[in-house]
Amino acid sequence: ALGVDSSPQMLAKAAALTRPGLRFELGRIESVTGQWDLVFSHAAIQWVDDHPTLIPRLLGLVRPGGQLVVQMPSNHDGFAHRAISETASESPFREALGGWTRRSPVLPVDQYAELLYAGGGRELTVFEKVYPHILADAAAVREWTRGTALLPYLERLPEPLHAPFLARYTARLRTRWPVGPVFYGFRRILFAARMPEQAHAG
């Protein structure tokens, strides 16, 4: 088994799990090669662009009889994520980011079913689920998104703008959630497909 991550920090955490038959390597999901009985991704491919190309490529890594199984967040059009991009479009953040905002590559859930089938996948399971989280207040929503959706913005912004950006973002969150507790419905897409066994000649 092979675990791949583009983050040295994540690989350092995973190193303790290394054992015979399981290794971890620095690399990009879209660059993995080989043939595998199971290709599994947990909360990772939302960072990889061009899913119409990526999904067939991942299916191509699966041996006949094997499975592709994926879970990823699908909150890109939720209020908290929109509040991040709206904050990034304001001055002085817009200038510091050069007008950049992140566009999620995550597709509508039905398109994954179509891509899986077109790529040869069968026995499809494709669905989107809301995971309910009860958070203390708007600041807790900010902290929930800090290690995910906020990360690319904070990585690009100069450090002196971090606190002002977070303050402006939190103020936006409070327009939606002025008091706690907050119901934060976290959406995820989950899908699986099996590659059919090859027919035997003769």
Side-chain angles (χ1 to χ4, degrees):
L2 170 65
V4 174
D5 203 294
S6 60
S7 165
Q9 293 82 6
M10 293 296 287
L11 288 173
K13 291 180 180 180
L17 302 173
T18 301
R19 60 181 186 272
L22 174 62
R23 69 187 195 280
F24 297 91
E25 292 181 0
L26 184 68
R28 299 177 62 82
I29 293 169
E30 58 270 43
S31 301
V32 174
T33 59
Q35 289 283 285
W36 306 89
D37 294 322
L38 174 65
V39 176
F40 172 74
S41 175
H42 175 74
I45 71 167
Q46 74 273 14
W47 299 113
V48 181
D49 289 333
D50 192 8
H51 283 196
T53 299
L54 178 66
I55 301 308
R57 191 179 187 291
L58 293 178
L59 277 172
L61 299 173
V62 180
R63 288 191 181 107
Q67 272 192 304
L68 170 64
V69 181
V70 171
Q71 177 277 120
M72 62 184 156
S74 55
N75 294 285
H76 46 281
D77 61 353
F79 182 85
H81 287 63
R82 292 198 313 272
I84 294 171
S85 61
E86 289 166 3
T87 303
S89 70
E90 293 181 351
S91 186
F93 315 116
R94 179 180 65 250
E95 292 80 6
L97 292 165
W100 178 87
T101 56
R102 183 170 189 269
R103 286 177 171 78
S104 172
V106 177
L107 303 169
V109 64
D110 57 309
Q111 291 188 28
Y112 290 102
E114 293 172 12
L115 287 167
L116 292 168
Y117 186 83
R122 298 297 181 265
E123 300 176 39
L124 305 185
T125 300
V126 183
F127 64 97
E128 188 170 43
K129 180 176 177 179
V130 175
Y131 291 80
H133 295 278
I134 308 303
L135 304 178
D137 52 21
V141 176
R142 177 197 64 221
E143 292 306 304
W144 180 273
T145 57
R146 191 167 187 159
T148 54
L150 274 171
L151 200 56
Y153 293 87
L154 296 177
E155 287 175 343
R156 287 170 170 82
L157 284 169
E159 200 279 334
L161 285 180
H162 285 194
F165 185 91
L166 291 171
R168 193 90 55 90
Y169 169 53
T170 307
R172 259 199 173 83
L173 294 176
R174 288 196 178 108
T175 67
R176 171 73 178 267
W177 298 295
V179 296
V182 168
F183 177 89
Y184 186 61
F186 194 84
R187 297 202 322 267
R188 297 181 187 272
I189 289 175
L190 303 98
F191 63 73
R194 186 175 298 279
M195 294 303 285
E197 297 278 1
Q198 292 175 335
H200 295 287

